[in-house]
Amino acid sequence: MKGFLLLCSCVILSHALPFEQRGFWDFSMDDGLAMMRDEEGASGLGPEGPTSTVPDLGMPPMDLCPFGCQCHLRVVQCSDLGLTSVPKNIPKDTTLLDLQNNKITEIKKDDFKGLSSLYALVIVNNKISKVNEKAFDVLHKLQKLYISKNNLEQIPRNLPKSLVELRIHDNNIKKIPKEVFNGLKNMNCIEMGGNPLENGGIEPGAFDGLKLNYLRISEAKLTGVPKDLPNTLNELHLDHNKIQAIETEDLIQYSKIYRLGLGYNNIRVIENGSLASMPALRELHLDNNKLAKVPGGLPDLKFLQVVYLHSNNITQIGVNDFCPIGFGVKRAYYNGISLFNNPVPYWEVQPATFRCVSDRLAIQFGNYKK
């Protein structure tokens, strides 16, 4: 059996790599599915107290499981079968449907008919280019939709209102229309990197009404920080784009962000005061850009602990570039500052520059090689 995608939460590693599933039983780590297993394991109550029998949750009859698929505990796994369409006869009580790594080209209107209990749908790595506008109408409990690595040119319409997590990276989406996320008040996480999306492709108000915690639009064609993103964001990842500068108004409304990913861009300038609007910032990725100096304002970020500045053009580091003047100002010491692969003579940097660092091993210097 090939690897099965992990239904992860939106807690992402520091480099915010694209979603990756690893093993079939990793699904047991998912809170939602754990809850469903608890419900299944509870014995029923009869008129005279607990019943003496426990429902049989083993393998369903073979005629209730699509040919070639594996069905167990309301999980239907139909991955890696060469399917060209969604199989029929999927058990009505299915909560997780895995259709990844097939050759499905289209999601039709009645493909998920009757699957009102579906909690997670995995259609990653197919050839889907078309999704019927009513295909998801019956999925009233769907919370996780993974439809990455397909041939979609637009975000599917009429997404379930119950949706919490959408992963649609590595498609061919060039536009986010205003109305596509309407009514998705439960949406918490959107991963849509790897799409040829430009700033002009994001219509004004496209994210209105969303209360996202996590948003990733990496490996796209953005030349600046998109406007009017949800102000509820805790994590914003815009790495691997073409952003050239960060201006004050770019980040002013995102006061709750604690992890900001801007690595692998063309950033030369970060306007003074641009970072001051994010007092909760704990992790800042600015590696692999074209910065000539350490961004201003870092000493004022009381909770900042990790700063990636490696692979830039920094030639000088001042004694107050990272740490505030005076004691008791910074609430959390740095536990990671990367400065390697910069043309800075590290032997000239004063030791006091890192007076608010937890340990000397947290400083990553290195010889600069042109």
Side-chain angles (χ1 to χ4, degrees):
M1 184 189 302
K2 295 187 177 180
F4 188 63
L5 280 169
L6 168 63
L7 285 175
C8 65
S9 65
C10 290
V11 179
I12 308 300
L13 297 176
S14 61
H15 288 288
L17 294 175
F19 173 74
E20 180 182 0
Q21 300 169 338
R22 299 182 182 279
F24 178 75
W25 291 113
D26 287 345
F27 281 102
S28 63
M29 299 175 65
D30 182 88
D31 293 339
L33 295 178
M35 177 184 68
M36 292 187 290
R37 288 196 306 275
D38 291 342
E39 292 174 354
E40 291 169 341
S43 60
L45 293 177
E48 300 179 356
T51 59
S52 58
T53 60
V54 178
D56 182 10
L57 299 177
M59 295 291 291
M62 291 302 294
D63 59 346
L64 294 182
C65 192
F67 179 77
C69 301
Q70 299 185 42
C71 302
H72 186 66
L73 296 178
R74 296 197 287 174
V75 173
V76 178
Q77 186 184 15
C78 302
S79 60
D80 305 281
L81 296 178
L83 300 175
T84 56
S85 62
V86 176
K88 307 298 182 183
N89 302 321
I90 299 173
K92 302 303 182 183
D93 64 346
T94 299
T95 53
L96 188 153
L97 177 58
D98 168 30
L99 295 168
Q100 65 179 307
N101 302 331
N102 280 294
K103 299 178 181 179
I104 300 172
T105 59
E106 179 182 355
I107 301 299
K108 301 176 182 178
K109 176 183 176 181
D110 295 326
D111 277 349
F112 307 120
K113 185 176 181 180
L115 301 181
S116 58
S117 298
L118 199 63
Y119 166 85
L121 176 59
V122 183
I123 330 176
V124 174
N125 197 24
N126 276 274
K127 300 180 183 297
I128 300 169
S129 60
K130 182 179 180 181
V131 178
N132 187 281
E133 290 191 2
K134 296 185 177 181
F136 300 128
D137 283 358
V138 298
L139 304 181
H140 304 301
K141 296 183 179 180
L142 190 71
Q143 294 191 27
K144 303 194 177 200
L145 174 59
Y146 299 162
I147 195 168
S148 304
K149 297 184 179 181
N150 278 285
N151 300 325
L152 292 174
E153 294 187 356
Q154 61 182 8
I155 298 172
R157 301 280 181 167
N158 300 323
L159 293 169
K161 306 302 181 185
S162 57
L163 204 61
V164 173
E165 183 177 346
L166 173 65
R167 296 186 178 271
I168 196 167
H169 58 83
D170 291 310
N171 276 279
N172 194 34
I173 297 170
K174 299 179 181 179
K175 183 178 180 180
I176 306 179
K178 180 177 180 179
E179 68 278 6
V180 73
F181 295 131
N182 277 0
L184 300 180
K185 298 180 180 180
N186 298 316
M187 185 77 80
N188 181 60
C189 169
I190 297 179
E191 158 65 272
M192 56 185 312
N195 285 287
L197 186 65
E198 299 180 359
N199 287 77
I202 304 175
E203 292 188 0
F207 293 96
D208 283 357
L210 293 183
K211 297 180 180 179
L212 294 181
N213 170 276
Y214 175 96
L215 176 62
R216 184 173 187 265
I217 313 179
S218 300
E219 301 173 81
K221 296 183 178 181
L222 301 177
T223 56
V225 177
K227 305 295 183 184
D228 300 323
L229 299 177
N231 58 15
T232 56
L233 284 172
N234 293 138
E235 294 194 40
L236 175 60
H237 300 277
L238 302 173
D239 49 284
H240 292 270
N241 275 287
K242 300 178 180 180
I243 301 173
Q244 299 183 23
I246 303 297
E247 300 177 353
T248 305
E249 61 268 20
D250 287 341
L251 303 171
I252 196 168
Q253 68 186 57
Y254 310 120
S255 60
K256 297 182 180 180
I257 286 182
Y258 61 74
R259 181 176 290 128
L260 178 61
L262 292 168
Y264 289 91
N265 276 281
N266 298 319
I267 300 174
R268 296 177 181 272
V269 177
I270 297 181
E271 189 174 338
N272 286 337
S274 297
L275 302 177
S277 58
M278 298 184 293
L281 193 64
R282 296 177 182 270
E283 190 170 315
L284 177 60
H285 295 251
L286 284 166
D287 56 287
N288 291 277
N289 278 285
K290 298 180 180 180
L291 294 171
K293 62 179 182 179
V294 176
L298 297 185
D300 300 324
L301 299 174
K302 298 180 181 180
F303 298 98
L304 187 61
Q305 294 177 282
V306 177
V307 182
Y308 292 155
L309 288 168
H310 56 270
S311 301
N312 275 280
N313 297 323
I314 299 173
T315 59
Q316 185 177 1
I317 298 176
V319 70
N320 295 318
D321 279 351
F322 293 99
C323 302
I325 300 174
F327 295 97
V329 178
K330 190 165 178 57
R331 301 290 182 85
Y333 276 22
Y334 289 101
N335 53 42
I337 298 178
S338 67
L339 288 162
F340 61 88
N341 199 25
N342 277 288
V344 56
Y346 61 89
W347 56 88
E348 295 182 3
V349 178
Q350 299 184 37
T353 301
F354 304 115
R355 57 188 178 274
C356 59
V357 178
S358 60
D359 187 275
R360 63 184 180 86
L361 296 178
I363 309 301
Q364 300 177 23
F365 262 124
N367 294 326
Y368 175 74
K369 296 182 179 179
K370 188 67 176 178

